[in-house]
Amino acid sequence: MPIRMHDHEVDVDEALVRRLLESQLPELAQASLSIVEPWGTDNAVWRLGDELVVRLPRIAGAQGQVDKEARWLPIIATHLSIPVPEPVAAGDPEFGYPYRWAVHRWIVGHGARTDRMNAPTAFASDLAGAVRELQRMPTSGAPPARHRACSLIEYDEPTRRAIAGAAHLIDADAATAVWEDALAARPYDGPDVWVQGDLEGNCLVDDDGRLCGIVDWNSSCVGDPAVDVQVVWSPLFTDVTRDVFLDALDVDDATIRRSKGAAINQACAALPYYLDTYPLIVERSWHKLAALGVGPAGS
């Protein structure tokens, strides 16, 4: 079983997953089980046979994801040209496991990362197209803004705490300067739009490096589109493909500045938190900070 990442997470192993399936979804219980790597931060993820995947929240903050995705993913799927997870079934707490859990249709593809960017310009264009389609979705009844999809001023204090908490690792003054410039940018004042909220780490690519799916929609809501623009500071983008993405969405300077603020919040919070448990997130955080002009402490 992969290393624990949270103080209050629930342990999930193959035996538990098998018992839950046998008890509640016996028609699926004989299929093979294998851990999906990289391990999720909020969910234990197991591939079930060739066509399905089991997702089990491991922390209390993720427990609402099952019902949220069951409601919204079928709707989102009708508006996007690329696949999103298709809910197949849901299970209930049992055997000491405290949360509802879900079975989704497996999307064929690989987690997007730099060594799989065989068509980086096409990937940037495809992702911008998906974001554009998402922004065109009707917003009636959509979840309200949360986390980094909120106005930056609403998470000013947590961001400053995150910067201070990472000060032994990073140039905190440089990070603060990026954050304060983002705060000074014009707040989003456009129409309500859907955002995915956590694109980095949740994009899938096919063998040719083209975008072929987006998973994990727990952060989706109506909010500041800068939260999705911040993906351009991730390792998935170069200076050239960043411009492709920004131009395709016609992103203005204020949104770019706010996206840097969202990226500072995410990277400074994640870097010390996952320093000893999730090397991939640490690598992404360092890359993001470097792209924003923030180096290591003492640099």
Side-chain angles (χ1 to χ4, degrees):
M1 187 166 58
I3 191 169
R4 290 171 61 89
M5 286 179 279
H6 312 284
D7 290 338
H8 303 291
E9 72 177 71
V10 177
D11 289 329
V12 179
D13 59 18
E14 182 174 339
L16 173 62
V17 178
R18 184 71 69 188
R19 289 182 73 195
L20 289 168
L21 288 168
E22 289 173 347
S23 175
Q24 300 182 38
L25 298 172
E27 69 276 14
L28 303 177
Q30 300 309 309
S32 61
L33 281 171
S34 58
I35 292 175
V36 175
E37 298 286 0
W39 194 246
T41 56
D42 293 346
N43 292 273
V45 185
W46 297 76
R47 189 165 181 179
L48 179 62
D50 293 330
E51 298 183 357
L52 301 173
V53 61
V54 187
R55 293 171 57 83
L56 302 98
R58 291 186 293 124
I59 56 175
Q63 63 181 311
Q65 183 170 348
V66 171
D67 293 327
K68 177 180 180 179
E69 290 194 329
R71 176 183 178 186
W72 288 108
L73 281 173
I75 298 172
I76 292 170
T78 66
H79 292 271
L80 265 61
S81 301
I82 60 162
V84 299
E86 176 190 345
V88 173
D92 294 312
E94 194 177 12
F95 306 122
Y97 177 76
Y99 309 129
R100 280 175 54 76
W101 49 282
V103 177
H104 290 173
R105 191 78 57 194
W106 176 260
I107 300 176
V108 177
H110 315 281
R113 63 188 194 203
T114 53
D115 61 339
R116 291 174 176 148
M117 292 290 102
N118 302 328
T121 300
F123 172 84
S125 179
D126 291 345
L127 185 56
V131 171
R132 188 165 52 244
E133 290 173 340
L134 184 63
Q135 291 177 352
R136 291 172 179 162
M137 276 184 55
T139 59
S140 177
R146 57 196 297 264
H147 302 324
R148 285 176 291 271
C150 295
S151 170
L152 270 67
I153 194 64
E154 295 187 40
Y155 59 98
D156 180 33
E157 183 179 347
T159 301
R160 293 183 189 275
R161 286 201 307 268
I163 293 172
H168 62 298
L169 299 169
I170 68 168
D171 182 343
D173 290 339
T176 300
V178 176
W179 174 249
E180 291 183 344
D181 181 73
L183 279 175
R186 174 178 50 80
Y188 180 64
D189 58 1
D192 287 347
V193 293
W194 274 88
V195 295
Q196 197 273 348
D198 191 22
L199 287 172
E200 183 181 0
N202 289 314
C203 293
L204 303 180
V205 294
D206 61 21
D207 290 337
D208 296 323
R210 298 293 297 265
L211 182 70
C212 67
I214 299 175
V215 298
D216 195 346
W217 289 79
N218 185 45
S219 297
S220 61
C221 59
V222 168
D224 185 348
V227 72
D228 284 345
V229 172
Q230 74 141 327
V231 72
V232 300
W233 310 110
S234 77
L236 302 178
F237 285 80
T238 64
D239 290 344
V240 172
T241 57
R242 184 179 301 130
D243 287 342
V244 169
F245 182 91
L246 297 174
D247 290 346
L249 287 174
D250 194 23
V251 176
D252 62 17
D253 179 69
T255 303
I256 294 172
R257 291 165 63 190
R258 296 195 310 276
S259 79
K260 293 181 179 181
I264 284 290
N265 173 276
Q266 185 179 54
C268 291
L271 183 59
Y273 189 86
Y274 294 108
L275 191 61
D276 299 318
T277 58
Y278 209 135
L280 182 57
I281 290 180
V282 171
E283 178 185 345
R284 289 172 178 165
S285 298
W286 278 122
H287 179 102
K288 184 174 290 186
L289 290 166
L292 297 169
V294 179
S299 60

